[in-house]
């Protein structure tokens, strides 16, 4: 097999020759193909000046008929005549000798040159392929197969194994204890698969890391490999589909083949939403066949594993809601690990990890830095530390001081502000009040789900803060009281803002939407309105295409009069929710304020913190 460099040279050479030929053709004498008889006539007329005898054709320099007699050799043409059957070169040569015409033999050149016309387009096709093939090899950790242009189906999967210098372990990933806890099992399995097999336990085959950008998903996946000491194939999903049609699927196949050969190991597909976006549905017109093929191949590979294979597939995404449902089905990426934005404590931990790499002064208070950086993620923290070190270097100092950190935080916050991600203090205050409102109403409503955690750090993607309620048991049925309480809790955020700031904000939009939808369903679906009674209104005509709703319009089967009544009932239910929330919050205003300030300080409050707050307040009241 030719090596890449040889191929490139060869192609360059061919290209050059082709160019030369084309130029010669364009500017050199034009050749005219003539019948052999015409050539003979010209010879007899003494108009032939020179002859080349080839194996298939005879070429000649001829003075055209009209040119005879004027100024001799001035005008000549090159003729080419095919040899006739029974052509006798000796006879021709004899004739030429007698007429004193220069003649020479010529190797048959035509077919050789013609070959170029085949080779040039071929070369043009091969050249990019070749370059890509080389690029792919360059990124890969060696392995079988050379840089032959035919190996471009091989993927960009990078293989980190134990010998790689970049060793990442769980210690390098800070502040994501929940996620680490869930991944310990995977590590354990990869370390001693035999133990699990002996028990007949099925280890989750696919683990999906979900979280906002920069929270350490990629880092975490590598840490799992580092902890387990297994090879780690990592590939970004977008690189599956970037080049040629059909290559994506081939790359997936190849990746999994390599992985099976190296088991036990981890295959990590980063930013899987690039290929895993849901198929069909609203985007049906603009579907990307290549992406779909790749996705289908991936699904096939995920299904094709024998239950005892020791390959763990991990993937990461920051848009879990966009993923095709087929990917998250049981037996595929059925275990999801959430990697959240860090709160103060977590940010402190991350800072400590990164600060180990720099020369830190003892005066630096990293906890203070953590407090000053709400909303920032792990990647931002890494940048803060680096910027601080750079600031110290600019000062010519040997140690990184607190002031350097202040400067770094300002610098990075400025950048984040431009991208609208940093939160200022007043915004944070409002979010704290809002979330405390949700939590307090939930705690004060009989049928509401217990509050699990309150946070002013955006915990789920898209929401500013979040109050996480855990349903006590899996629900299939909900009573009217439970739904009404649920609406009251949703209103709690907005009502708290009203109480504290005497003004609401846009932050409650999603709450309102959900509350309104719940109320409307209570009236129209569940017959829970006393006035309208046990009846449903409207038919959801959600036109579905392959399980994806295409149209959300509802079929209306009631009168205008009824429509007005429905609207009225919906707003009554919502109003009742607001009143309930207001009552609770007004009567526990002190707890609300205490919770707000604690939340601002700690950013996250869990069950115990909340209970402590409430009992503190009760004690204060009774005293
Ligand atoms: P993601 O894949 O979630 O977008 P990355 O894993 O690429 O984020 O994180 C980028 C960088 O940010 C990491 O290389 C690391 O330096 C830093 N980082 C992010 N999260 C953490 C964390 N939890 N602990 C330590 N460093 C982190
Ligand atoms: Mg990443
Ligand atoms: Zn809210």
């Amino acid at each position: 097999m030719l090596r890449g460099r040889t191929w490139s040279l060869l192609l360059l050479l061919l290209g050059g020759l082709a160019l030369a030929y084309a130029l010669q053709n364009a500017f050199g004498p034009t050749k005219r193909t003539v019948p052999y008889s015409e050539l003979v006539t010209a010879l007899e007329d003494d108009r032939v000046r020179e002859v080349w005898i080839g194996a298939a054709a005879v070429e000649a320099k001829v003075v055209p008929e009209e040119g005879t007699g004027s100024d001799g050799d001035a005008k000549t043409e090159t003729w080419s005549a095919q040899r006739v059957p029974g052509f006798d070169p000796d006879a021709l040569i004899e004739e030429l000798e007698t007429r004193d015409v220069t003649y020479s033999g010529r190797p048959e050149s035509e077919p050789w040159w013609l070959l170029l016309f085949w080779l040039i387009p071929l070369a043009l096709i091969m050249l990019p392929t070749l370059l890509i093939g080389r690029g792919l090899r360059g990124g890969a950790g060696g392995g079988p197969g050379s840089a032959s242009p035919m190996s471009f189906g091989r993927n960009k999967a990078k293989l980190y194994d134990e010998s790689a210098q970049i060793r990442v372990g769980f210690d390098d990933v800070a502040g994501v204890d929940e996620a680490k806890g869930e991944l310990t099992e995977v590590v354990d399995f990869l370390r001693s698969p035999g133990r699990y097999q002996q028990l007949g336990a099925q280890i989750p085959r696919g683990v999906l890391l979900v979280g906002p950008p920069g929270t350490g998903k990629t880092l975490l996946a590598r840490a799992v490999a580092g902890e387990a000491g297994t090879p780690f194939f990592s590939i970004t999903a977008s690189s599956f589909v970037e080049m040629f049609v059909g290559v994506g699927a081939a790359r997936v196949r190849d990746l999994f083949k390599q992985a099976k050969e190296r088991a036990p190991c981890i295959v990590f597909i980063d930013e899987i939403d690039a290929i895993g976006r849901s198929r069909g549905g609203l985007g049906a017109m603009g579907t990307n066949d290549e992406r779909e093929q790749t996705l289908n191949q991936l699904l096939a590979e995920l299904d094709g594993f024998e239950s005892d294979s020791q390959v763990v597939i991990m993937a990461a995404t920051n848009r879990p809601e966009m993923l095709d449902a087929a990917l998250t089905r049981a037996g595929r990426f059925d275990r999801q690990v959430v990697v959240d934005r860090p709160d103060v404590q977590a940010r402190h931990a991350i800072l400590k990890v990164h600060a180990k790499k720099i020369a830190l002064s003892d005066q630096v208070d990293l906890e203070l830095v953590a407090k000053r950086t709400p909303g920032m993620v792990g990647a931002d923290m890494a940048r803060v530390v680096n910027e601080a070190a750079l600031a110290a270097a600019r000062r010519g100092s040997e140690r990184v001081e607190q002031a350097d950190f202040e400067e770094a935080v300002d610098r990075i916050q400025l950048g984040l502000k431009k991208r609208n991600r940093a939160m200022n203090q007043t915004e944070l205050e409002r979010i704290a009040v809002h979330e405390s409102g949700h939590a307090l109403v939930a705690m004060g409503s009989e049928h509401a789900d217990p509050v699990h955690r309150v946070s002013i750090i955006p915990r789920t993607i898209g929401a500013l803060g979040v109050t996480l309620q855990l349903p006590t048991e899996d629900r299939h049925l909900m009573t009217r009281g439970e739904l009404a309480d649920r609406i009251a809790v949703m209103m709690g955020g907005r009502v708290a803002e009203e109480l504290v700031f005497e003004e609401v904000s846009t932050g409650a939009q999603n709450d309102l939407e959900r509350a309104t939808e719940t109320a409307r369903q209570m009236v129209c679906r569940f017959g829970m309105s006393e006035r309208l009674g046990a009846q449903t209104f409207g038919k959801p005509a959600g036109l579905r295409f392959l399980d994806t709703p295409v149209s959300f319009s509802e079929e209306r089967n009631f009168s205008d009069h009824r429509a007005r009544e429905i609207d009225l009932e919906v707003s009554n239910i919502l109003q009742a929710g607001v009143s309930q929330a207001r009552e609770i919050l007004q009567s526990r205003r002190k707890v609300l304020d205490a919770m707000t300030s604690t939340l601002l300080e700690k950013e996250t409050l869990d069950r115990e913190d909340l209970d402590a707050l409430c009992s503190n307040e009760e004690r204060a009241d009774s005293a």
Side-chain angles (χ1 to χ4, degrees):
M1 204 85 223
L2 288 170
R3 309 226 91 235
R5 181 182 292 252
T6 326
W7 266 97
S8 316
L9 284 177
L10 198 66
L11 288 176
L12 271 177
L13 197 72
L14 286 179
L17 281 177
L19 193 69
Y21 181 64
L23 285 176
Q24 189 216 319
N25 244 359
F27 299 108
T30 42
K31 227 183 266 178
R32 193 148 76 87
T33 314
V34 295
Y36 190 72
S37 57
E38 207 171 312
L39 184 62
V40 173
T41 318
L43 190 61
E44 280 163 1
D45 290 355
D46 266 335
R47 284 187 283 121
V48 175
R49 297 287 170 268
E50 203 177 342
V51 169
W52 301 272
I53 305 167
V58 179
E59 283 178 17
K61 201 193 258 178
V62 181
V63 181
E65 236 168 334
E66 57 272 22
T68 11
S70 58
D71 38 46
D73 280 358
K75 257 198 325 188
T76 55
E77 280 179 0
T78 309
W79 288 8
S80 167
Q82 290 294 307
R83 288 167 150 201
V84 287
F87 170 84
D88 181 1
D90 293 337
L92 178 64
I93 287 168
E94 213 173 302
E95 180 76 25
L96 292 170
E97 290 277 10
T98 51
R99 293 182 186 273
D100 204 16
V101 178
T102 340
Y103 63 93
S104 52
R106 162 170 289 184
E108 206 43 71
S109 59
E110 212 69 4
W112 188 84
W113 283 107
L114 275 178
L115 198 64
L116 261 192
F117 286 100
W118 288 95
L119 281 176
I120 294 165
L122 206 66
L124 286 179
I125 293 167
M126 300 272 273
L127 197 67
T129 310
L130 185 80
L131 294 179
I132 291 153
R134 281 155 59 85
L136 291 187
R137 284 290 105 195
S146 61
S148 87
M150 293 311 155
S151 68
F152 64 86
R154 290 198 170 258
N155 50 59
K156 273 184 189 166
K158 271 180 255 153
L159 182 65
Y160 294 102
D161 49 20
E162 284 162 286
S163 57
Q165 318 105 307
I166 333 149
R167 299 282 295 142
V168 185
F170 275 164
D171 287 344
D172 300 298
V173 199
V176 286
D177 297 337
E178 269 178 61
K180 273 198 252 180
E182 293 196 53
L183 291 169
T184 328
E185 204 182 1
V186 175
V187 172
D188 214 40
F189 166 74
L190 286 167
R191 272 193 191 151
S192 45
R195 206 157 55 82
Y196 284 78
Q197 275 161 4
Q198 192 197 339
L199 288 166
Q202 289 259 339
I203 198 75
R205 162 103 336 112
V207 181
L208 185 64
L209 300 172
V210 175
T215 45
K217 299 181 294 297
T218 308
L219 190 65
L220 203 51
R222 294 178 61 191
V224 170
E227 290 286 321
T230 52
F232 179 66
F233 293 91
S234 114
I235 187 159
T236 4
S238 55
S239 68
F240 275 135
V241 283
E242 67 198 3
M243 293 296 173
F244 301 113
V245 175
V247 170
R251 279 198 187 148
V252 172
R253 216 176 303 126
D254 203 64
L255 176 72
F256 279 78
K257 194 170 142 256
Q258 286 187 50
K260 280 175 201 162
E261 284 162 9
R262 303 286 301 261
C265 68
I266 296 174
V267 171
F268 177 55
I269 305 171
D270 211 351
E271 284 148 40
I272 196 173
D273 37 289
I275 52 167
R277 250 171 293 146
S278 53
R279 296 164 290 183
L282 293 169
M285 298 302 284
T287 47
N288 179 341
D289 278 348
E290 170 65 357
R291 187 172 59 69
E292 252 174 54
Q293 269 182 26
T294 310
L295 176 57
N296 288 337
Q297 184 65 39
L298 180 63
L299 293 175
E301 294 288 350
L302 287 173
D303 290 342
F305 274 113
E306 296 92 53
S307 58
D308 61 345
S309 88
Q310 291 160 19
V311 180
V312 170
I313 322 287
M314 295 179 74
T317 180
N318 43 40
R319 290 134 105 199
E321 72 286 352
M322 301 215 359
L323 285 189
D324 197 295
L327 266 176
T328 45
R329 194 161 353 170
R332 290 167 181 169
F333 291 104
D334 47 4
R335 178 170 295 196
Q336 302 209 1
V337 174
V338 177
V339 189
D340 260 331
R341 277 178 203 278
D343 62 13
V344 192
Q345 270 182 346
R347 287 200 305 273
H348 186 193
I350 298 172
L351 279 172
K352 277 196 269 189
V353 166
H354 287 281
K356 274 192 207 133
K357 301 167 200 159
I358 62 171
L360 201 64
S361 141
D362 325 326
Q363 310 294 314
V364 173
D365 182 357
L366 288 178
E367 203 173 342
L368 205 65
V369 180
K371 277 192 180 142
R372 276 206 52 207
T373 49
M376 286 195 190
V377 293
D380 300 326
M381 303 320 294
R383 280 182 53 215
V384 163
V385 172
N386 190 49
E387 283 287 341
L390 289 177
R394 272 195 297 271
R395 281 192 305 117
S397 161
E398 275 174 19
R399 306 243 145 224
V400 184
E401 299 285 347
Q402 189 76 20
D404 300 319
F405 274 99
E406 303 288 318
E407 191 183 328
V409 169
D410 287 345
R411 206 174 251 258
I412 282 159
Q413 248 163 4
L414 203 71
L416 294 182
K417 259 197 196 98
K418 279 194 200 130
R419 279 178 282 140
N420 234 335
R421 249 184 54 203
M423 283 176 281
N424 64 33
Q425 195 57 30
T426 48
E427 269 174 344
L428 278 176
E429 260 174 56
R430 194 177 266 280
I431 294 169
V433 167
H434 180 104
E435 296 305 327
S436 301
H438 283 310
L440 259 187
V441 175
M443 294 194 312
S445 299
E446 199 184 343
H447 306 292
D449 295 321
V451 180
H452 174 62
R453 186 167 61 196
V454 191
S455 173
I456 52 171
I457 295 301
R459 281 281 163 161
T460 40
I461 299 147
L464 286 177
V466 78
T467 302
L468 196 66
Q469 289 172 276
L470 280 189
T472 19
E473 63 229 62
D474 261 45
R475 328 291 303 252
H476 297 290
L477 292 171
M478 291 193 77
T479 64
R480 188 184 193 286
E482 284 163 347
L483 284 175
D485 277 1
R486 191 168 269 202
I487 290 176
V489 172
M490 291 174 194
M491 292 299 189
R494 178 187 158 95
V495 171
E497 285 187 58
E498 228 168 45
L499 285 179
V500 175
F501 300 108
E502 283 153 9
E503 189 177 46
V504 293
S505 73
T506 55
Q509 180 210 347
N510 181 254
D511 296 333
L512 280 184
E513 267 167 24
R514 280 163 55 220
T516 311
E517 181 59 24
T518 310
R520 187 165 284 278
Q521 286 193 337
M522 285 169 72
V523 176
C524 296
R525 289 279 99 66
F526 311 134
M528 283 179 178
S529 143
E530 268 159 42
R531 273 184 50 151
L532 296 172
Q535 191 182 342
T536 65
F537 301 96
K539 262 193 238 163
L543 182 59
R544 289 186 157 258
F545 175 72
L546 294 178
D547 265 1
T548 317
V550 178
S551 138
F552 295 96
S553 60
E554 270 205 2
E555 189 186 321
R556 202 172 126 174
N557 57 3
F558 46 84
S559 66
D560 285 355
H561 174 65
R562 265 294 142 87
R564 238 175 325 232
E565 282 185 326
I566 291 170
D567 290 343
L568 205 65
E569 274 302 282
V570 169
S571 91
N572 281 344
I573 292 178
L574 292 174
Q575 218 41 58
V578 172
S579 309
Q580 185 180 333
R582 189 170 291 137
E583 228 163 86
I584 295 173
L585 292 179
Q586 265 168 346
S587 70
R588 307 184 77 182
R589 178 63 199 263
K590 272 190 207 149
V591 190
L592 177 67
D593 291 341
M595 196 184 287
T596 305
S597 54
T598 322
L599 198 50
L600 272 172
E601 185 190 331
K602 284 189 160 185
E603 294 180 5
T604 330
L605 300 180
D606 52 25
R607 182 84 227 172
E608 289 98 74
D609 299 323
L610 293 172
D611 286 343
L613 268 171
C614 289
S615 55
N616 270 351
E617 213 58 33
E618 273 154 28
R619 240 179 289 129
D621 277 353
S622 55

